[in-house]
């Protein structure tokens, strides 16, 4: 059975452009409840840990530099079928391939600076959420 939580973070391009409020509004209007939220900034080392699964990819170094270049807004979200429904809401990784009306179609600048992250499985949603939040901060 699909789980009811996912993890997201609004990335430095979208936070820096002042789109945190607009994106958060779209998330809530799509039926997701915000369980935890904060504004923070990753060091390059922490970004490297978060994206360790992509270590062998040619874009890994640039991705870690980019993800530590400014503030981010990580969140834990709740909704039935959360992981799949949230990935539909954000659209494809490459904003040029993202469906009209998706968050990346509306706000992303490039395949790297693509506005927002969404977990790709229930297991990763749990791992990624725990990277930023401990149990006491959830409500
Ligand atoms: P995200 O969904 O957070 O997961 C991995 C990230 O790596 C992705 O969003 C993009 O920000 C980045 N990424 C994925 N593919 C590429 C690529 N081909 N070139 C540069 N960055 C990429």
């Amino acid at each position: 059975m699909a789980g009811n939580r996912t993890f997201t973070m609004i990335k430095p391009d979208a936070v820096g452009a002042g789109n945190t409020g607009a994106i958060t509004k779209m998330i809530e209007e799509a039926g997701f409840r915000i369980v935890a939220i904060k504004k923070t900034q990753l060091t390059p080392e922490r970004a490297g840990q978060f994206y360790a699964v992509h270590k062998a990819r040619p874009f890994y170094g640039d991705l870690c530099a980019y993800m530590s270049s400014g503030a981010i807004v990580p969140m834990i979200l709740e909704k039935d079928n959360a992981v799949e429904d949230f990935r539909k809401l954000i659209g494809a990784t490459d904003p040029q391939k993202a469906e009209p009306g998706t968050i990346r179609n509306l706000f992303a600048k490039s395949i790297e600076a693509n506005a927002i992250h969404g977990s790709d499985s229930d297991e990763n949603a749990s791992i990624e959420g725990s990277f930023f939040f401990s149990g006491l901060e959830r409500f």
Side-chain angles (χ1 to χ4, degrees):
M1 196 187 89
N4 66 348
R5 282 193 174 177
T6 192
F7 169 81
T8 184
M9 57 186 163
I10 304 176
K11 297 188 181 185
D13 58 298
V15 175
N19 290 323
T20 302
I23 291 172
T24 305
K25 184 166 190 271
M26 280 183 71
I27 291 170
E28 290 195 312
E29 285 179 353
F32 292 87
R33 191 175 78 82
I34 298 171
V35 175
I37 182 170
K38 66 182 168 189
K39 189 171 188 178
T40 187
Q41 185 163 353
L42 291 167
T43 62
E45 292 72 28
R46 289 263 298 159
Q49 287 165 15
F50 185 87
Y51 281 117
V53 64
H54 294 305
K55 208 163 191 164
R57 303 280 195 99
F59 57 80
Y60 178 71
D62 280 351
L63 176 63
C64 295
Y66 160 65
M67 285 302 300
S68 56
S69 68
I72 58 167
V73 177
M75 291 180 236
I76 293 172
L77 303 173
E78 198 166 79
K79 181 184 183 297
D80 286 348
N81 202 35
V83 166
E84 191 184 339
D85 286 2
F86 193 72
R87 284 173 75 84
K88 276 189 200 139
L89 178 67
I90 67 178
T93 304
D94 180 351
Q96 298 205 342
K97 294 179 185 154
E99 290 282 310
T102 59
I103 292 175
R104 285 173 170 157
N105 171 259
L106 292 169
F107 298 107
K109 294 188 172 138
S110 68
I111 192 165
E112 178 180 81
N114 64 354
I116 194 159
H117 170 80
S119 301
D120 63 4
S121 67
D122 290 345
E123 187 189 1
N124 283 338
S126 173
I127 293 167
E128 292 170 1
S130 300
F131 189 88
F132 287 98
F133 299 100
S134 63
L136 290 175
E137 290 162 277
R138 299 180 191 183
F139 56 90

